[in-house]
Amino acid sequence: MDPYAFDSTAGNLFSEFVHDAAQAFEVDPNGIYCIGSGAVGLSCNPRNVRDGHLKAFASTSDLDIAVISQFHFDQAWRDLRVLAHTAYTPSASKTLRDKLDHQRSRLFDGAIVANKLMSRLTFGPQWGLHRRRLQLEWRDRLGLSGTVNLWVYRDYWSVRSYVAEGIEKCVEKLRSFDDD
């Protein structure tokens, strides 16, 4: 089944997207996944639970794309370690520090939030251009206005764990509404 955002009645859009993204980012097509609300139609982010309901995917929603590549994950991890080391970046801006702190919370999950630090990654200039192109082209094709977010995962297990954790937290938050 195609992800929710890629309406299968309009053809093989997700297959086309995967092929396009895999070529652009020089990764295996089997490592490209749509995650989050674009995948299932409902947000898997517990911050998006409102009044006992999950937020539905809408034309304004972001499209979250998981790129599984141990090579790119390891490269990004090295880049981020250098960036975060005070000997290399002693006077980093507050914005950069905030982005690095946000990334630190995801690193143990085996995820790099590529969008936030794209320009600082070795492969960032190339990926940044392709992300913007994909965003413009595919937002139009899918009738969306949100951004395309790239998440680089070390392996498939990391994607599964991250998604499962989000779902568990949503369920927990939804159950709290039952207690009220």
PDB file of all heavy atoms in Angstrom, residues 114-151:
ATOM      1  N   ALA A 114      18.130  15.943   9.181  1.00  0.00           N
ATOM      2  CA  ALA A 114      19.001  16.578   8.186  1.00  0.00           C
ATOM      3  C   ALA A 114      18.607  18.013   7.864  1.00  0.00           C
ATOM      4  O   ALA A 114      19.483  18.856   7.662  1.00  0.00           O
ATOM      5  CB  ALA A 114      19.035  15.735   6.910  1.00  0.00           C
ATOM      6  N   ASN A 115      17.333  18.318   7.821  1.00  0.00           N
ATOM      7  CA  ASN A 115      16.900  19.671   7.451  1.00  0.00           C
ATOM      8  C   ASN A 115      17.497  20.746   8.343  1.00  0.00           C
ATOM      9  O   ASN A 115      17.896  21.795   7.872  1.00  0.00           O
ATOM     10  CB  ASN A 115      15.377  19.802   7.548  1.00  0.00           C
ATOM     11  CG  ASN A 115      14.670  19.141   6.425  1.00  0.00           C
ATOM     12  OD1 ASN A 115      15.137  18.145   5.900  1.00  0.00           O
ATOM     13  ND2 ASN A 115      13.541  19.675   6.056  1.00  0.00           N
ATOM     14  N   LYS A 116      17.519  20.482   9.627  1.00  0.00           N
ATOM     15  CA  LYS A 116      17.935  21.507  10.582  1.00  0.00           C
ATOM     16  C   LYS A 116      19.407  21.892  10.448  1.00  0.00           C
ATOM     17  O   LYS A 116      19.786  23.011  10.743  1.00  0.00           O
ATOM     18  CB  LYS A 116      17.639  21.059  12.006  1.00  0.00           C
ATOM     19  CG  LYS A 116      16.153  20.975  12.303  1.00  0.00           C
ATOM     20  CD  LYS A 116      15.917  20.907  13.777  1.00  0.00           C
ATOM     21  CE  LYS A 116      14.448  20.837  14.108  1.00  0.00           C
ATOM     22  NZ  LYS A 116      13.745  22.076  13.884  1.00  0.00           N
ATOM     23  N   LEU A 117      20.230  20.956  10.018  1.00  0.00           N
ATOM     24  CA  LEU A 117      21.667  21.206   9.951  1.00  0.00           C
ATOM     25  C   LEU A 117      22.249  20.900   8.566  1.00  0.00           C
ATOM     26  O   LEU A 117      23.447  20.673   8.436  1.00  0.00           O
ATOM     27  CB  LEU A 117      22.376  20.374  11.024  1.00  0.00           C
ATOM     28  CG  LEU A 117      22.019  20.772  12.461  1.00  0.00           C
ATOM     29  CD1 LEU A 117      22.273  19.639  13.437  1.00  0.00           C
ATOM     30  CD2 LEU A 117      22.782  22.017  12.862  1.00  0.00           C
ATOM     31  N   MET A 118      21.405  20.901   7.554  1.00  0.00           N
ATOM     32  CA  MET A 118      21.806  20.493   6.200  1.00  0.00           C
ATOM     33  C   MET A 118      23.065  21.203   5.723  1.00  0.00           C
ATOM     34  O   MET A 118      23.981  20.572   5.212  1.00  0.00           O
ATOM     35  CB  MET A 118      20.659  20.740   5.215  1.00  0.00           C
ATOM     36  CG  MET A 118      20.917  20.230   3.817  1.00  0.00           C
ATOM     37  SD  MET A 118      20.815  18.439   3.666  1.00  0.00           S
ATOM     38  CE  MET A 118      19.059  18.205   3.750  1.00  0.00           C
ATOM     39  N   SER A 119      23.125  22.502   5.890  1.00  0.00           N
ATOM     40  CA  SER A 119      24.261  23.253   5.354  1.00  0.00           C
ATOM     41  C   SER A 119      25.571  22.915   6.062  1.00  0.00           C
ATOM     42  O   SER A 119      26.651  23.222   5.560  1.00  0.00           O
ATOM     43  CB  SER A 119      23.999  24.756   5.456  1.00  0.00           C
ATOM     44  OG  SER A 119      23.928  25.142   6.813  1.00  0.00           O
ATOM     45  N   ARG A 120      25.496  22.269   7.217  1.00  0.00           N
ATOM     46  CA  ARG A 120      26.688  21.938   7.994  1.00  0.00           C
ATOM     47  C   ARG A 120      27.190  20.511   7.747  1.00  0.00           C
ATOM     48  O   ARG A 120      28.211  20.122   8.279  1.00  0.00           O
ATOM     49  CB  ARG A 120      26.405  22.087   9.490  1.00  0.00           C
ATOM     50  CG  ARG A 120      25.845  23.425   9.883  1.00  0.00           C
ATOM     51  CD  ARG A 120      26.907  24.493   9.788  1.00  0.00           C
ATOM     52  NE  ARG A 120      26.416  25.750  10.325  1.00  0.00           N
ATOM     53  CZ  ARG A 120      27.136  26.539  11.076  1.00  0.00           C
ATOM     54  NH1 ARG A 120      28.358  26.228  11.399  1.00  0.00           N
ATOM     55  NH2 ARG A 120      26.631  27.667  11.494  1.00  0.00           N
ATOM     56  N   LEU A 121      26.439  19.734   6.951  1.00  0.00           N
ATOM     57  CA  LEU A 121      26.812  18.346   6.685  1.00  0.00           C
ATOM     58  C   LEU A 121      27.648  18.259   5.417  1.00  0.00           C
ATOM     59  O   LEU A 121      27.429  19.020   4.467  1.00  0.00           O
ATOM     60  CB  LEU A 121      25.564  17.477   6.538  1.00  0.00           C
ATOM     61  CG  LEU A 121      24.609  17.468   7.730  1.00  0.00           C
ATOM     62  CD1 LEU A 121      23.365  16.643   7.416  1.00  0.00           C
ATOM     63  CD2 LEU A 121      25.302  16.957   8.982  1.00  0.00           C
ATOM     64  N   THR A 122      28.595  17.345   5.379  1.00  0.00           N
ATOM     65  CA  THR A 122      29.461  17.173   4.215  1.00  0.00           C
ATOM     66  C   THR A 122      28.638  17.013   2.934  1.00  0.00           C
ATOM     67  O   THR A 122      28.947  17.618   1.916  1.00  0.00           O
ATOM     68  CB  THR A 122      30.380  15.948   4.405  1.00  0.00           C
ATOM     69  OG1 THR A 122      31.170  16.154   5.574  1.00  0.00           O
ATOM     70  CG2 THR A 122      31.270  15.720   3.211  1.00  0.00           C
ATOM     71  N   PHE A 123      27.581  16.224   2.990  1.00  0.00           N
ATOM     72  CA  PHE A 123      26.742  15.997   1.818  1.00  0.00           C
ATOM     73  C   PHE A 123      25.594  17.007   1.729  1.00  0.00           C
ATOM     74  O   PHE A 123      24.771  16.948   0.825  1.00  0.00           O
ATOM     75  CB  PHE A 123      26.184  14.566   1.807  1.00  0.00           C
ATOM     76  CG  PHE A 123      25.447  14.182   3.065  1.00  0.00           C
ATOM     77  CD1 PHE A 123      24.097  14.459   3.209  1.00  0.00           C
ATOM     78  CD2 PHE A 123      26.107  13.533   4.092  1.00  0.00           C
ATOM     79  CE1 PHE A 123      23.417  14.106   4.362  1.00  0.00           C
ATOM     80  CE2 PHE A 123      25.438  13.165   5.246  1.00  0.00           C
ATOM     81  CZ  PHE A 123      24.081  13.459   5.388  1.00  0.00           C
ATOM     82  N   GLY A 124      25.560  17.966   2.653  1.00  0.00           N
ATOM     83  CA  GLY A 124      24.477  18.940   2.739  1.00  0.00           C
ATOM     84  C   GLY A 124      24.243  19.794   1.504  1.00  0.00           C
ATOM     85  O   GLY A 124      23.103  19.958   1.079  1.00  0.00           O
ATOM     86  N   PRO A 125      25.302  20.360   0.917  1.00  0.00           N
ATOM     87  CA  PRO A 125      25.061  21.195  -0.265  1.00  0.00           C
ATOM     88  C   PRO A 125      24.346  20.428  -1.388  1.00  0.00           C
ATOM     89  O   PRO A 125      23.396  20.942  -1.981  1.00  0.00           O
ATOM     90  CB  PRO A 125      26.463  21.632  -0.682  1.00  0.00           C
ATOM     91  CG  PRO A 125      27.245  21.621   0.601  1.00  0.00           C
ATOM     92  CD  PRO A 125      26.697  20.436   1.362  1.00  0.00           C
ATOM     93  N   GLN A 126      24.784  19.213  -1.656  1.00  0.00           N
ATOM     94  CA  GLN A 126      24.151  18.400  -2.701  1.00  0.00           C
ATOM     95  C   GLN A 126      22.723  18.028  -2.289  1.00  0.00           C
ATOM     96  O   GLN A 126      21.780  18.202  -3.054  1.00  0.00           O
ATOM     97  CB  GLN A 126      24.957  17.143  -2.974  1.00  0.00           C
ATOM     98  CG  GLN A 126      24.299  16.246  -4.011  1.00  0.00           C
ATOM     99  CD  GLN A 126      24.903  14.857  -4.052  1.00  0.00           C
ATOM    100  OE1 GLN A 126      25.821  14.535  -3.302  1.00  0.00           O
ATOM    101  NE2 GLN A 126      24.381  14.030  -4.919  1.00  0.00           N
ATOM    102  N   TRP A 127      22.566  17.510  -1.086  1.00  0.00           N
ATOM    103  CA  TRP A 127      21.245  17.086  -0.615  1.00  0.00           C
ATOM    104  C   TRP A 127      20.289  18.267  -0.501  1.00  0.00           C
ATOM    105  O   TRP A 127      19.106  18.147  -0.766  1.00  0.00           O
ATOM    106  CB  TRP A 127      21.369  16.372   0.729  1.00  0.00           C
ATOM    107  CG  TRP A 127      21.722  14.929   0.614  1.00  0.00           C
ATOM    108  CD1 TRP A 127      22.602  14.354  -0.267  1.00  0.00           C
ATOM    109  CD2 TRP A 127      21.224  13.871   1.416  1.00  0.00           C
ATOM    110  NE1 TRP A 127      22.684  13.009  -0.039  1.00  0.00           N
ATOM    111  CE2 TRP A 127      21.844  12.680   0.992  1.00  0.00           C
ATOM    112  CE3 TRP A 127      20.332  13.814   2.484  1.00  0.00           C
ATOM    113  CZ2 TRP A 127      21.581  11.455   1.576  1.00  0.00           C
ATOM    114  CZ3 TRP A 127      20.077  12.592   3.072  1.00  0.00           C
ATOM    115  CH2 TRP A 127      20.687  11.423   2.613  1.00  0.00           C
ATOM    116  N   GLY A 128      20.810  19.412  -0.061  1.00  0.00           N
ATOM    117  CA  GLY A 128      19.964  20.598   0.082  1.00  0.00           C
ATOM    118  C   GLY A 128      19.330  21.015  -1.236  1.00  0.00           C
ATOM    119  O   GLY A 128      18.137  21.320  -1.297  1.00  0.00           O
ATOM    120  N   LEU A 129      20.139  21.015  -2.294  1.00  0.00           N
ATOM    121  CA  LEU A 129      19.604  21.355  -3.623  1.00  0.00           C
ATOM    122  C   LEU A 129      18.531  20.365  -4.056  1.00  0.00           C
ATOM    123  O   LEU A 129      17.469  20.750  -4.550  1.00  0.00           O
ATOM    124  CB  LEU A 129      20.736  21.373  -4.659  1.00  0.00           C
ATOM    125  CG  LEU A 129      21.721  22.515  -4.572  1.00  0.00           C
ATOM    126  CD1 LEU A 129      22.886  22.300  -5.543  1.00  0.00           C
ATOM    127  CD2 LEU A 129      21.028  23.832  -4.874  1.00  0.00           C
ATOM    128  N   HIS A 130      18.805  19.089  -3.869  1.00  0.00           N
ATOM    129  CA  HIS A 130      17.854  18.065  -4.286  1.00  0.00           C
ATOM    130  C   HIS A 130      16.596  18.071  -3.411  1.00  0.00           C
ATOM    131  O   HIS A 130      15.496  17.850  -3.907  1.00  0.00           O
ATOM    132  CB  HIS A 130      18.504  16.679  -4.270  1.00  0.00           C
ATOM    133  CG  HIS A 130      19.514  16.508  -5.355  1.00  0.00           C
ATOM    134  ND1 HIS A 130      19.193  16.569  -6.689  1.00  0.00           N
ATOM    135  CD2 HIS A 130      20.857  16.309  -5.293  1.00  0.00           C
ATOM    136  CE1 HIS A 130      20.286  16.391  -7.411  1.00  0.00           C
ATOM    137  NE2 HIS A 130      21.309  16.237  -6.586  1.00  0.00           N
ATOM    138  N   ARG A 131      16.745  18.356  -2.125  1.00  0.00           N
ATOM    139  CA  ARG A 131      15.573  18.436  -1.251  1.00  0.00           C
ATOM    140  C   ARG A 131      14.659  19.564  -1.698  1.00  0.00           C
ATOM    141  O   ARG A 131      13.445  19.400  -1.793  1.00  0.00           O
ATOM    142  CB  ARG A 131      15.979  18.648   0.207  1.00  0.00           C
ATOM    143  CG  ARG A 131      14.758  18.626   1.151  1.00  0.00           C
ATOM    144  CD  ARG A 131      15.127  19.033   2.561  1.00  0.00           C
ATOM    145  NE  ARG A 131      15.377  20.445   2.695  1.00  0.00           N
ATOM    146  CZ  ARG A 131      14.428  21.382   2.844  1.00  0.00           C
ATOM    147  NH1 ARG A 131      13.160  21.052   2.865  1.00  0.00           N
ATOM    148  NH2 ARG A 131      14.754  22.638   2.970  1.00  0.00           N
ATOM    149  N   ARG A 132      15.237  20.701  -2.007  1.00  0.00           N
ATOM    150  CA  ARG A 132      14.421  21.835  -2.479  1.00  0.00           C
ATOM    151  C   ARG A 132      13.727  21.503  -3.793  1.00  0.00           C
ATOM    152  O   ARG A 132      12.552  21.818  -3.983  1.00  0.00           O
ATOM    153  CB  ARG A 132      15.290  23.090  -2.619  1.00  0.00           C
ATOM    154  CG  ARG A 132      15.525  23.771  -1.286  1.00  0.00           C
ATOM    155  CD  ARG A 132      16.175  25.130  -1.416  1.00  0.00           C
ATOM    156  NE  ARG A 132      17.559  25.090  -1.889  1.00  0.00           N
ATOM    157  CZ  ARG A 132      18.591  24.760  -1.129  1.00  0.00           C
ATOM    158  NH1 ARG A 132      18.422  24.446   0.124  1.00  0.00           N
ATOM    159  NH2 ARG A 132      19.817  24.761  -1.629  1.00  0.00           N
ATOM    160  N   ARG A 133      14.452  20.862  -4.712  1.00  0.00           N
ATOM    161  CA  ARG A 133      13.837  20.488  -5.983  1.00  0.00           C
ATOM    162  C   ARG A 133      12.700  19.500  -5.760  1.00  0.00           C
ATOM    163  O   ARG A 133      11.603  19.669  -6.292  1.00  0.00           O
ATOM    164  CB  ARG A 133      14.872  19.876  -6.928  1.00  0.00           C
ATOM    165  CG  ARG A 133      14.272  19.472  -8.285  1.00  0.00           C
ATOM    166  CD  ARG A 133      15.215  18.653  -9.121  1.00  0.00           C
ATOM    167  NE  ARG A 133      15.654  17.429  -8.506  1.00  0.00           N
ATOM    168  CZ  ARG A 133      14.932  16.301  -8.444  1.00  0.00           C
ATOM    169  NH1 ARG A 133      13.713  16.257  -8.935  1.00  0.00           N
ATOM    170  NH2 ARG A 133      15.432  15.218  -7.876  1.00  0.00           N
ATOM    171  N   LEU A 134      12.955  18.463  -4.946  1.00  0.00           N
ATOM    172  CA  LEU A 134      11.905  17.483  -4.647  1.00  0.00           C
ATOM    173  C   LEU A 134      10.710  18.158  -3.981  1.00  0.00           C
ATOM    174  O   LEU A 134       9.555  17.854  -4.296  1.00  0.00           O
ATOM    175  CB  LEU A 134      12.435  16.379  -3.737  1.00  0.00           C
ATOM    176  CG  LEU A 134      13.377  15.361  -4.355  1.00  0.00           C
ATOM    177  CD1 LEU A 134      14.014  14.506  -3.268  1.00  0.00           C
ATOM    178  CD2 LEU A 134      12.659  14.493  -5.369  1.00  0.00           C
ATOM    179  N   GLN A 135      11.001  19.054  -3.063  1.00  0.00           N
ATOM    180  CA  GLN A 135       9.922  19.742  -2.356  1.00  0.00           C
ATOM    181  C   GLN A 135       9.044  20.520  -3.330  1.00  0.00           C
ATOM    182  O   GLN A 135       7.816  20.404  -3.300  1.00  0.00           O
ATOM    183  CB  GLN A 135      10.505  20.681  -1.303  1.00  0.00           C
ATOM    184  CG  GLN A 135       9.461  21.443  -0.520  1.00  0.00           C
ATOM    185  CD  GLN A 135      10.080  22.150   0.656  1.00  0.00           C
ATOM    186  OE1 GLN A 135      10.414  21.506   1.639  1.00  0.00           O
ATOM    187  NE2 GLN A 135      10.238  23.448   0.560  1.00  0.00           N
ATOM    188  N   LEU A 136       9.654  21.297  -4.193  1.00  0.00           N
ATOM    189  CA  LEU A 136       8.873  22.090  -5.145  1.00  0.00           C
ATOM    190  C   LEU A 136       8.082  21.207  -6.100  1.00  0.00           C
ATOM    191  O   LEU A 136       6.894  21.410  -6.321  1.00  0.00           O
ATOM    192  CB  LEU A 136       9.792  23.035  -5.925  1.00  0.00           C
ATOM    193  CG  LEU A 136      10.433  24.153  -5.108  1.00  0.00           C
ATOM    194  CD1 LEU A 136      11.462  24.901  -5.943  1.00  0.00           C
ATOM    195  CD2 LEU A 136       9.376  25.092  -4.559  1.00  0.00           C
ATOM    196  N   GLU A 137       8.749  20.222  -6.656  1.00  0.00           N
ATOM    197  CA  GLU A 137       8.092  19.351  -7.638  1.00  0.00           C
ATOM    198  C   GLU A 137       6.996  18.502  -7.006  1.00  0.00           C
ATOM    199  O   GLU A 137       5.879  18.428  -7.514  1.00  0.00           O
ATOM    200  CB  GLU A 137       9.134  18.448  -8.292  1.00  0.00           C
ATOM    201  CG  GLU A 137       8.540  17.531  -9.336  1.00  0.00           C
ATOM    202  CD  GLU A 137       9.593  16.642  -9.979  1.00  0.00           C
ATOM    203  OE1 GLU A 137      10.773  17.062 -10.077  1.00  0.00           O
ATOM    204  OE2 GLU A 137       9.228  15.523 -10.373  1.00  0.00           O
ATOM    205  N   TRP A 138       7.321  17.864  -5.886  1.00  0.00           N
ATOM    206  CA  TRP A 138       6.373  16.913  -5.309  1.00  0.00           C
ATOM    207  C   TRP A 138       5.269  17.579  -4.514  1.00  0.00           C
ATOM    208  O   TRP A 138       4.163  17.047  -4.427  1.00  0.00           O
ATOM    209  CB  TRP A 138       7.116  15.845  -4.507  1.00  0.00           C
ATOM    210  CG  TRP A 138       7.720  14.880  -5.468  1.00  0.00           C
ATOM    211  CD1 TRP A 138       8.994  14.904  -5.973  1.00  0.00           C
ATOM    212  CD2 TRP A 138       7.063  13.798  -6.112  1.00  0.00           C
ATOM    213  NE1 TRP A 138       9.161  13.889  -6.877  1.00  0.00           N
ATOM    214  CE2 TRP A 138       7.987  13.190  -6.976  1.00  0.00           C
ATOM    215  CE3 TRP A 138       5.774  13.278  -6.038  1.00  0.00           C
ATOM    216  CZ2 TRP A 138       7.673  12.095  -7.762  1.00  0.00           C
ATOM    217  CZ3 TRP A 138       5.453  12.176  -6.808  1.00  0.00           C
ATOM    218  CH2 TRP A 138       6.397  11.601  -7.661  1.00  0.00           C
ATOM    219  N   ARG A 139       5.511  18.737  -3.947  1.00  0.00           N
ATOM    220  CA  ARG A 139       4.408  19.457  -3.299  1.00  0.00           C
ATOM    221  C   ARG A 139       3.340  19.774  -4.334  1.00  0.00           C
ATOM    222  O   ARG A 139       2.157  19.608  -4.076  1.00  0.00           O
ATOM    223  CB  ARG A 139       4.900  20.749  -2.641  1.00  0.00           C
ATOM    224  CG  ARG A 139       5.596  20.519  -1.337  1.00  0.00           C
ATOM    225  CD  ARG A 139       5.834  21.766  -0.539  1.00  0.00           C
ATOM    226  NE  ARG A 139       6.096  22.967  -1.311  1.00  0.00           N
ATOM    227  CZ  ARG A 139       6.435  24.118  -0.777  1.00  0.00           C
ATOM    228  NH1 ARG A 139       6.568  24.227   0.521  1.00  0.00           N
ATOM    229  NH2 ARG A 139       6.660  25.175  -1.526  1.00  0.00           N
ATOM    230  N   ASP A 140       3.779  20.219  -5.500  1.00  0.00           N
ATOM    231  CA  ASP A 140       2.813  20.510  -6.568  1.00  0.00           C
ATOM    232  C   ASP A 140       2.080  19.254  -7.006  1.00  0.00           C
ATOM    233  O   ASP A 140       0.862  19.248  -7.140  1.00  0.00           O
ATOM    234  CB  ASP A 140       3.506  21.151  -7.776  1.00  0.00           C
ATOM    235  CG  ASP A 140       3.874  22.608  -7.538  1.00  0.00           C
ATOM    236  OD1 ASP A 140       3.383  23.190  -6.546  1.00  0.00           O
ATOM    237  OD2 ASP A 140       4.668  23.144  -8.331  1.00  0.00           O
ATOM    238  N   ARG A 141       2.824  18.195  -7.243  1.00  0.00           N
ATOM    239  CA  ARG A 141       2.210  16.948  -7.716  1.00  0.00           C
ATOM    240  C   ARG A 141       1.227  16.359  -6.714  1.00  0.00           C
ATOM    241  O   ARG A 141       0.241  15.739  -7.087  1.00  0.00           O
ATOM    242  CB  ARG A 141       3.275  15.913  -8.061  1.00  0.00           C
ATOM    243  CG  ARG A 141       4.055  16.298  -9.319  1.00  0.00           C
ATOM    244  CD  ARG A 141       4.996  15.239  -9.745  1.00  0.00           C
ATOM    245  NE  ARG A 141       4.273  14.104 -10.319  1.00  0.00           N
ATOM    246  CZ  ARG A 141       4.870  13.002 -10.735  1.00  0.00           C
ATOM    247  NH1 ARG A 141       6.178  12.885 -10.645  1.00  0.00           N
ATOM    248  NH2 ARG A 141       4.169  12.010 -11.243  1.00  0.00           N
ATOM    249  N   LEU A 142       1.503  16.555  -5.424  1.00  0.00           N
ATOM    250  CA  LEU A 142       0.659  15.978  -4.378  1.00  0.00           C
ATOM    251  C   LEU A 142      -0.353  16.977  -3.814  1.00  0.00           C
ATOM    252  O   LEU A 142      -1.165  16.623  -2.961  1.00  0.00           O
ATOM    253  CB  LEU A 142       1.526  15.438  -3.230  1.00  0.00           C
ATOM    254  CG  LEU A 142       2.518  14.334  -3.610  1.00  0.00           C
ATOM    255  CD1 LEU A 142       3.437  14.015  -2.439  1.00  0.00           C
ATOM    256  CD2 LEU A 142       1.777  13.086  -4.078  1.00  0.00           C
ATOM    257  N   GLY A 143      -0.287  18.218  -4.271  1.00  0.00           N
ATOM    258  CA  GLY A 143      -1.215  19.234  -3.778  1.00  0.00           C
ATOM    259  C   GLY A 143      -0.951  19.624  -2.327  1.00  0.00           C
ATOM    260  O   GLY A 143      -1.887  19.854  -1.559  1.00  0.00           O
ATOM    261  N   LEU A 144       0.318  19.724  -1.957  1.00  0.00           N
ATOM    262  CA  LEU A 144       0.702  20.045  -0.581  1.00  0.00           C
ATOM    263  C   LEU A 144       1.374  21.410  -0.520  1.00  0.00           C
ATOM    264  O   LEU A 144       1.900  21.899  -1.512  1.00  0.00           O
ATOM    265  CB  LEU A 144       1.674  18.992  -0.043  1.00  0.00           C
ATOM    266  CG  LEU A 144       1.207  17.543  -0.060  1.00  0.00           C
ATOM    267  CD1 LEU A 144       2.340  16.615   0.374  1.00  0.00           C
ATOM    268  CD2 LEU A 144      -0.004  17.360   0.827  1.00  0.00           C
ATOM    269  N   SER A 145       1.378  21.997   0.670  1.00  0.00           N
ATOM    270  CA  SER A 145       2.091  23.264   0.851  1.00  0.00           C
ATOM    271  C   SER A 145       3.132  23.179   1.965  1.00  0.00           C
ATOM    272  O   SER A 145       3.866  24.131   2.187  1.00  0.00           O
ATOM    273  CB  SER A 145       1.103  24.396   1.151  1.00  0.00           C
ATOM    274  OG  SER A 145       0.406  24.136   2.358  1.00  0.00           O
ATOM    275  N   GLY A 146       3.211  22.062   2.667  1.00  0.00           N
ATOM    276  CA  GLY A 146       4.193  21.892   3.736  1.00  0.00           C
ATOM    277  C   GLY A 146       5.578  21.635   3.182  1.00  0.00           C
ATOM    278  O   GLY A 146       5.795  21.578   1.974  1.00  0.00           O
ATOM    279  N   THR A 147       6.529  21.468   4.078  1.00  0.00           N
ATOM    280  CA  THR A 147       7.904  21.210   3.661  1.00  0.00           C
ATOM    281  C   THR A 147       8.190  19.713   3.592  1.00  0.00           C
ATOM    282  O   THR A 147       7.479  18.910   4.186  1.00  0.00           O
ATOM    283  CB  THR A 147       8.918  21.854   4.630  1.00  0.00           C
ATOM    284  OG1 THR A 147       8.719  21.296   5.924  1.00  0.00           O
ATOM    285  CG2 THR A 147       8.749  23.357   4.695  1.00  0.00           C
ATOM    286  N   VAL A 148       9.224  19.372   2.858  1.00  0.00           N
ATOM    287  CA  VAL A 148       9.719  17.995   2.819  1.00  0.00           C
ATOM    288  C   VAL A 148      10.872  17.929   3.809  1.00  0.00           C
ATOM    289  O   VAL A 148      11.868  18.631   3.648  1.00  0.00           O
ATOM    290  CB  VAL A 148      10.177  17.584   1.401  1.00  0.00           C
ATOM    291  CG1 VAL A 148      10.848  16.218   1.432  1.00  0.00           C
ATOM    292  CG2 VAL A 148       9.004  17.585   0.430  1.00  0.00           C
ATOM    293  N   ASN A 149      10.696  17.136   4.848  1.00  0.00           N
ATOM    294  CA  ASN A 149      11.727  16.973   5.878  1.00  0.00           C
ATOM    295  C   ASN A 149      12.469  15.673   5.643  1.00  0.00           C
ATOM    296  O   ASN A 149      11.847  14.635   5.424  1.00  0.00           O
ATOM    297  CB  ASN A 149      11.091  16.941   7.273  1.00  0.00           C
ATOM    298  CG  ASN A 149      10.413  18.244   7.616  1.00  0.00           C
ATOM    299  OD1 ASN A 149      10.940  19.314   7.351  1.00  0.00           O
ATOM    300  ND2 ASN A 149       9.236  18.157   8.195  1.00  0.00           N
ATOM    301  N   LEU A 150      13.780  15.743   5.709  1.00  0.00           N
ATOM    302  CA  LEU A 150      14.605  14.545   5.542  1.00  0.00           C
ATOM    303  C   LEU A 150      15.170  14.112   6.880  1.00  0.00           C
ATOM    304  O   LEU A 150      15.732  14.918   7.617  1.00  0.00           O
ATOM    305  CB  LEU A 150      15.763  14.822   4.578  1.00  0.00           C
ATOM    306  CG  LEU A 150      15.397  15.150   3.146  1.00  0.00           C
ATOM    307  CD1 LEU A 150      16.661  15.456   2.351  1.00  0.00           C
ATOM    308  CD2 LEU A 150      14.626  14.018   2.505  1.00  0.00           C
ATOM    309  N   TRP A 151      15.004  12.835   7.164  1.00  0.00           N
ATOM    310  CA  TRP A 151      15.560  12.204   8.352  1.00  0.00           C
ATOM    311  C   TRP A 151      16.513  11.127   7.864  1.00  0.00           C
ATOM    312  O   TRP A 151      16.113  10.261   7.099  1.00  0.00           O
ATOM    313  CB  TRP A 151      14.459  11.554   9.180  1.00  0.00           C
ATOM    314  CG  TRP A 151      13.460  12.514   9.755  1.00  0.00           C
ATOM    315  CD1 TRP A 151      12.508  13.223   9.073  1.00  0.00           C
ATOM    316  CD2 TRP A 151      13.314  12.854  11.123  1.00  0.00           C
ATOM    317  NE1 TRP A 151      11.778  13.980   9.934  1.00  0.00           N
ATOM    318  CE2 TRP A 151      12.255  13.766  11.217  1.00  0.00           C
ATOM    319  CE3 TRP A 151      13.979  12.465  12.275  1.00  0.00           C
ATOM    320  CZ2 TRP A 151      11.848  14.310  12.417  1.00  0.00           C
ATOM    321  CZ3 TRP A 151      13.561  13.003  13.484  1.00  0.00           C
ATOM    322  CH2 TRP A 151      12.507  13.917  13.540  1.00  0.00           C
TER     323      TRP A 151
END
